[in-house]
Amino acid sequence: MATITRKSVNVVIVGGGWAGSIMAKELTEAGQHVVMLERGAERSTAVDGAYPTSLDELEGNFRFKIFQKLQKTTVTIRNNITQTALPYRQLAAFLPGEGVGGAGLHWSGVHLRIAPDDLAMRSTVIAKYGKSFIPDGMNLQDYGVTYAELEPFFDKAEKVFGTSGEAYTVNGKIVGKGNAFAPDRSDDFPLPPLKDVTGAHLFRKAAEAVGYHPYSIPAANASRQYTNTYGAQMGPCNFCGYCSGYACYMYSKASPNVNILPALRNNPLFEIRPNATVLHVNLDSTKSRATGVTYLDDKGDKIIQPAELVILAAFQFNNVHLMLVSGIGSPYDPVANTGVVGRNFVYQNISTTTAWMDPSVYTNQFIGTGGGGVAFDDFNSENFDHGPLGFIGGSPVWVNQAGVKAIAAAKAGGPPGTPRWGSAWKSEMIDTYTHAVRMDAHGSNMAYRDVFLDLDPTWKDAFGRPLLRMTFDWKENDIRMNRYVVGKIEAVTKAMGARRTHLGMKEFGQPFDTRFYQTTHLGGGAVMGDDPKSSALNRYLQCWDVSNVFVIGSNAFPQGTGYNPTGMVAALAYWSAHHIRMTYLKNPGPLVPV
Amino acid sequence: MPSSPLPRRLLLQTLAGATALTTCTYIARRSQAAPPEIRYEPAFFTQEEWRFLHAACDRLIPQDVYGPSAIELGVPEFIDRQMETPYAYGALWYMQGPHITGPANLGYQLIYTPRDIYRYGISGACDLCRQMHNTEFADLDPATRDSFLRELESGEHQFGDLPASTFFGHLLGNTQEGAFSDPIHGGNKGLGGWAMTGFPGARADFMDWVDQYGKQYPLGSVSISGETI
Ligand SMILES: Cc1cc2nc3c(=O)[nH]c(=O)nc-3n(C[C@H](O)[C@H](O)[C@H](O)COP(=O)(O)OP(=O)(O)OC[C@H]3O[C@@H](n4cnc5c(N)ncnc54)[C@H](O)[C@@H]3O)c2cc1C
Ligand code: SF4
């Protein structure tokens, strides 16, 4: 095991997912010499998405073939500050990525912009309901950036991802039957919406009949052939159903591997080094300037990579972990209520409702596409009056059928309370798989003073670093929000003509359970904002304390929104890169005075 | 192999009232599709464990009007073959100590890999069965085997520090994986698990069926290696 110092480069990027790939493309365009370090292996659709061998549900979804293996590193989790956090030893609640492309190779493709009110949640709530509406202990914050500022970057990302969707308004004019609550757009989606699967079709008709405003979920799964901004080609999605957890064999689902990296690989300014695990960012003696990073390569050598600019794009909690182990910014202390790194850790508040249709209706749940489906936003964000309800936040409700395969169907079984095995299970399971429709309330999750990230005092990763510790539980505000929105689904399943409905909702007093998949939409922990006392990053995702480190990812979200994160992550990456290109590179230093 | 999936369709449509008919159609399909008998020799499980595994899997997914049993689907072979994969050695899990037990919702915390879980779990279950019933599990009648399995599933029994319910959870999970995964892994023989659920396997192209609203998908299943029904 040698220690080797490599030649200095302009930019080192930690992580080869969407965030890292967007930054690499933008900064090489600006003439910067960029090295991307990715802890996992090289990955490509041709190999990892090969037909038909990649269509293997056991390997894909149950042996986590292209997800992170937890053997070397994980996190610890507890529900509250008085508990001992225990290691997250088996993948279940969330499924982080690893390898070139990151989770972007095996995500689903729901590609949403953000609701403008969500960007200024604190200001909006105070203006509408008064300051006393915010419960004690809730750290409600604004992002410090407006929708108008981000719009060009949402547009840019959609054209790179080849997003399929239907707009509501473009430049203030109503152009289609898109989401009536969506903010205005400067241009239409690059591709028309995907077709509805049976469940989504039934849901759309029923939601309309009830008086809600259903729309096609914008999806980074191509509805037609498409050539993106960088010359990358996508084929039309055939609803293969092997979407979430798989590299799309049809080249239809956007991924860094298909949509961005091909435009970088031959660029002499760009170098990607897989199997490179960054251990920490190196700081100079003032702790206010990064000198580069130290990583381990696959031979076990320790490599020091000097760089002028360090971009952390290692995914939400890995970014926070790297900041903490490197001593970037002040760690959050929930007791003293000081520090910012680890503050405002949030998640996605999801629950699933099932409707059983008449036995003559085949819902063909194996037909599906990761990002497609039908949603309504009537109970999302500030689209409804929270005054009499007394909670903050909301949920879109949707049928988003990514393709349910046979093992998943077997494990899901029949209605709650029915046997898990034997003949009774078989009968209920087959009925459910053949005739049911599943829909989610995919809700926001607010930030709280005692929900946070820090370093674990006991467990270490294979490299000797303390594991990151998550202190997380569902809080009353969010449970009430979930129960209210799920209550609104009942009218829809009735209108669908369901013979039976199970309304899946959060229960008071039921702790966050790490054993069941929810989503991988973790957020916060190193949030953006206008005040260094409550945010680790300024509005350009630059560290307040170390101005040549930018931290790109959902770690920047001050609270969890009802939407999936990647649309916002991509827009923030392009937004940050724009300001690095326009301002920072000409005059390196803080983009916002501290 | 016959390519018409019709009997299964018929079966699903007539579940409610026509038990006799569906039984007939099911048996008809099986006899046509039944693969030749090849005896599989387990590499991981001992003969005693192998007997237990058969007797348990056979009740978790029994042969009935809905379709074949876990045994007919080759689930024990699947589980035995899985025992040689990285998963069974715990290579997918974070296994570093200390190992401290905590609330169930914080997840699995034991030192045991799946191989250990089977080894200690089966031995514990066999002992428990001898205590409770004075005989081998595999020699119990089906109804008593069911009640014993329910005892493992939700009783408070411990095999040392391995809860019986943890062992049962793995056994059930792997049994379902074996019955419904691609036959390339050794289970789902004759694609019988997929036929039962109507899952088309590796077909993975539904361009023509996505908007055929509410209609049953017309084609049978296909596996990675090209086996069809
Ligand atoms: C099954 C699944 C479905 C999803 N579906 C959707 C969806 O429909 N819509 C949506 O918006 N979002 C979805 N997501 C979330 C989405 O995948 C993420 O938001 C997105 O991929 C995050 O991109 P990223 O670049 O920030 O992180 P990642 O894609 O996680 O990339 C980070 C990379 O950094 C690497 N890395 C980490 N630590 C180090 C280190 N120390 N040294 C070197 N490299 C390191 C990792 O290996 C990884 O490759 C889904 C996620 C999953 C798992
Ligand atoms: S569903 Fe569509 S986008 Fe998803 S993997 Fe299949 S073909 Fe690709």
Side-chain angles (χ1 to χ4, degrees):
Chain A
M1 223 180 79
T3 300
I4 300 160
T5 302
R6 307 265 307 230
K7 219 174 108 220
S8 183
V9 294
N10 299 129
V11 183
V12 67
I13 296 178
V14 185
W18 278 121
S21 302
I22 289 171
M23 297 308 282
K25 183 74 181 79
E26 286 284 306
L27 295 174
T28 51
E29 281 180 16
Q32 299 289 296
H33 179 196
V34 174
V35 165
M36 175 186 271
L37 303 172
E38 165 55 51
R39 68 179 171 186
E42 185 55 87
R43 289 230 166 94
S44 74
T45 294
V47 175
D48 298 285
Y51 179 87
T53 45
S54 69
L55 305 177
D56 184 337
E57 188 192 11
L58 181 74
E59 288 294 325
N61 290 121
F62 293 93
R63 300 293 179 264
F64 307 108
K65 193 170 168 193
I66 56 176
F67 294 90
Q68 184 196 341
K69 309 289 180 289
L70 298 181
Q71 195 180 35
K72 286 192 188 147
T73 184
T74 184
V75 295
T76 64
I77 306 178
R78 59 181 176 174
N79 292 128
N80 60 63
I81 200 160
T82 65
Q83 268 184 332
T84 301
L86 297 175
Y88 177 62
R89 295 183 181 276
Q90 303 174 341
L91 284 178
F94 49 86
L95 306 171
E98 185 172 85
V100 172
L105 184 62
H106 56 65
W107 70 318
S108 305
V110 173
H111 188 185
L112 293 154
R113 298 186 170 196
I114 197 167
D117 286 339
D118 285 352
L119 286 173
M121 203 54 164
R122 182 178 179 83
S123 310
T124 309
V125 165
I126 291 175
K128 277 174 119 168
Y129 315 113
K131 205 167 174 186
S132 62
F133 200 76
I134 304 173
D136 274 352
M138 185 190 284
N139 286 346
L140 200 61
Q141 290 180 205
D142 295 351
Y143 280 69
V145 63
T146 64
Y147 175 75
E149 287 173 309
L150 290 180
E151 202 288 332
F153 305 102
F154 280 117
D155 181 65
K156 186 167 181 171
E158 285 166 0
K159 287 172 175 148
V160 170
F161 283 53
T163 304
S164 306
E166 181 164 15
Y168 181 61
T169 64
V170 174
N171 294 320
K173 273 207 207 83
I174 295 181
V175 296
K177 290 190 298 196
N179 181 8
F181 297 99
D184 193 32
R185 310 166 52 88
S186 60
D187 199 358
D188 211 330
F189 287 97
L191 291 173
L194 292 152
K195 286 177 180 174
D196 296 346
V197 299
T198 291
H201 169 76
L202 296 168
F203 179 80
R204 184 192 291 275
K205 281 197 306 187
E208 224 153 44
V210 172
Y212 302 150
H213 299 81
Y215 65 92
S216 299
I217 303 174
N221 315 78
S223 59
R224 305 238 177 104
Q225 284 178 13
Y226 183 66
T227 303
N228 83 355
T229 325
Y230 306 140
Q233 296 176 348
M234 302 169 83
C237 164
N238 68 8
F239 296 82
C240 83
Y242 288 84
C243 211
S244 191
Y246 301 80
C248 170
Y249 82 93
M250 293 288 290
Y251 291 80
S252 311
K253 177 170 65 180
S255 66
N257 313 60
V258 168
N259 296 56
I260 300 181
L261 293 171
L264 277 168
R265 290 194 191 265
N266 293 330
N267 186 335
L269 288 174
F270 177 73
E271 188 191 338
I272 182 164
R273 295 184 201 147
N275 306 307
T277 302
V278 174
L279 298 177
H280 47 80
V281 179
N282 302 320
L283 303 181
D284 72 4
S285 58
T286 69
K287 302 274 176 217
S288 62
R289 193 172 168 74
T291 58
V293 302
T294 297
Y295 69 91
L296 278 183
D297 69 9
D298 50 353
K299 295 196 284 294
D301 287 336
K302 214 174 225 187
I303 315 287
I304 296 167
Q305 178 59 66
E308 289 154 28
L309 178 60
V310 174
I311 309 280
L312 298 183
F315 185 60
Q316 181 260 341
F317 66 78
N318 298 317
N319 285 342
V320 175
H321 187 231
L322 282 166
M323 291 176 81
L324 289 171
V325 296
S326 308
I328 298 174
S330 52
Y332 176 61
D333 176 345
V335 178
N337 206 11
T338 56
V340 287
V341 182
R343 194 174 184 275
N344 280 37
F345 170 48
V346 293
Y347 198 14
Q348 186 99 60
N349 183 3
I350 188 174
S351 71
T352 301
T353 285
T354 310
W356 284 261
M357 304 305 295
D358 188 86
S360 63
V361 178
Y362 287 76
T363 53
N364 297 330
Q365 293 180 60
F366 46 84
I367 301 179
T369 178
V374 171
F376 60 82
D377 265 21
D378 299 66
F379 305 101
N380 188 27
S381 189
E382 275 300 322
N383 302 344
F384 59 115
D385 183 10
H386 290 66
L389 302 170
F391 61 74
I392 295 170
S395 310
V397 176
W398 58 47
V399 170
N400 166 223
Q401 187 166 296
V404 184
K405 294 169 282 295
I407 304 174
K411 293 199 182 195
T418 55
R420 293 200 298 158
W421 51 275
S423 281
W425 158 80
K426 264 176 148 179
S427 131
E428 295 285 4
M429 180 271 285
I430 293 167
D431 178 46
T432 301
Y433 188 46
T434 315
H435 305 296
V437 177
R438 290 180 215 271
M439 54 212 92
D440 306 315
H442 192 270
S444 59
N445 174 224
M446 295 303 131
Y448 300 90
R449 179 169 166 177
D450 57 358
V451 172
F452 62 101
L453 301 171
D454 65 356
L455 293 176
D456 191 88
T458 308
W459 282 276
K460 304 240 181 316
D461 65 18
F463 321 107
R465 300 178 302 177
L467 296 184
L468 188 73
R469 175 167 66 179
M470 297 178 167
T471 303
F472 183 87
D473 210 349
W474 304 112
K475 299 281 190 170
E476 198 206 326
N477 173 82
D478 301 72
I479 297 171
R480 281 171 53 212
M481 182 280 289
N482 169 266
R483 297 180 68 87
Y484 174 78
V485 178
V486 173
K488 299 289 177 189
I489 301 177
E490 199 165 9
V492 179
T493 65
K494 263 205 190 111
M496 283 166 72
R499 76 182 123 111
R500 171 181 201 164
T501 297
H502 170 73
L503 294 175
M505 49 174 87
K506 290 243 147 43
E507 300 292 337
F508 294 103
Q510 215 173 60
F512 167 53
D513 197 324
T514 66
R515 296 170 299 173
F516 303 105
Y517 187 68
Q518 282 141 76
T519 67
T520 310
H521 307 161
L522 299 147
V527 313
M528 62 193 292
D530 285 331
D531 181 356
K533 286 202 197 62
S534 57
S535 60
L537 314 175
N538 66 25
R539 69 194 219 104
Y540 304 109
L541 290 86
Q542 179 183 36
C543 290
W544 287 111
D545 297 276
V546 185
S547 66
N548 66 334
V549 174
F550 287 72
V551 186
I552 316 293
S554 54
N555 53 272
F557 303 179
Q559 46 269 330
T561 79
Y563 283 165
N564 316 47
T566 311
M568 182 63 179
V569 168
L572 286 177
Y574 279 117
W575 153 262
S576 176
H578 176 80
H579 291 280
I580 295 173
R581 293 176 67 166
M582 291 300 133
T583 313
Y584 178 89
L585 291 177
K586 291 180 191 133
N587 185 18
L591 292 171
V592 179
V594 182
Chain B
M1 295 265 170
S3 65
S4 165
L6 195 67
R8 178 180 59 81
R9 307 292 171 197
L10 209 59
L11 179 153
L12 291 174
Q13 279 164 3
T14 54
L15 273 185
T19 311
L21 170 67
T22 57
T23 309
C24 292
T25 52
Y26 161 65
I27 288 168
R29 196 195 63 74
R30 273 280 313 158
S31 60
Q32 283 168 347
E37 277 289 311
I38 307 165
R39 259 197 91 77
Y40 175 82
E41 285 302 325
F44 171 78
F45 292 105
T46 64
Q47 281 308 318
E48 189 193 352
E49 291 168 340
W50 193 234
R51 264 194 97 211
F52 173 90
L53 194 63
H54 272 79
C57 289
D58 188 44
R59 297 315 301 156
L60 296 178
I61 305 184
Q63 197 275 316
D64 55 23
V65 293
Y66 309 109
S69 71
I71 304 306
E72 291 168 282
L73 294 172
V75 167
E77 174 182 336
F78 165 86
I79 298 178
D80 188 67
R81 283 171 54 172
Q82 282 294 302
M83 292 300 109
E84 291 308 323
T85 64
Y87 150 77
Y89 286 89
L92 273 47
W93 301 347
Y94 177 80
M95 294 298 272
Q96 293 195 40
H99 292 264
I100 297 171
T101 44
N105 69 295
L106 297 184
Y108 183 78
Q109 298 296 333
L110 296 171
I111 57 170
Y112 305 123
T113 65
R115 287 168 69 95
D116 301 329
I117 292 171
Y118 277 101
R119 200 108 283 162
Y120 304 134
I122 296 181
S123 142
C126 287
D127 287 348
L128 181 68
C129 183
R130 281 182 214 116
Q131 267 174 42
M132 289 175 66
H133 298 288
N134 220 357
T135 180
E136 296 301 316
F137 174 73
D139 296 328
L140 295 172
D141 63 71
T144 318
R145 271 189 279 155
D146 284 357
S147 70
F148 183 78
L149 287 170
R150 274 194 289 276
E151 196 65 44
L152 296 184
E153 180 179 26
S154 40
E156 299 289 301
H157 302 284
Q158 287 279 139
F159 306 140
D161 53 357
L162 175 70
S165 57
T166 301
F167 162 61
F168 180 86
H170 278 268
L171 175 63
L172 177 60
N174 289 155
T175 299
Q176 292 171 335
E177 288 166 3
F180 299 105
S181 55
D182 193 279
I184 205 161
H185 299 290
N188 191 13
K189 299 260 186 238
L191 313 188
W194 291 349
M196 184 154 65
T197 48
F199 175 60
R203 212 160 272 289
D205 177 4
F206 303 110
M207 203 63 139
D208 59 342
W209 213 259
V210 53
D211 51 1
Q212 303 278 331
Y213 295 129
K215 281 200 217 154
Q216 192 175 28
Y217 184 68
L219 301 181
S221 319
V222 61
S223 75
I224 287 172
S225 67
E227 185 180 354
T228 56
I229 42 162

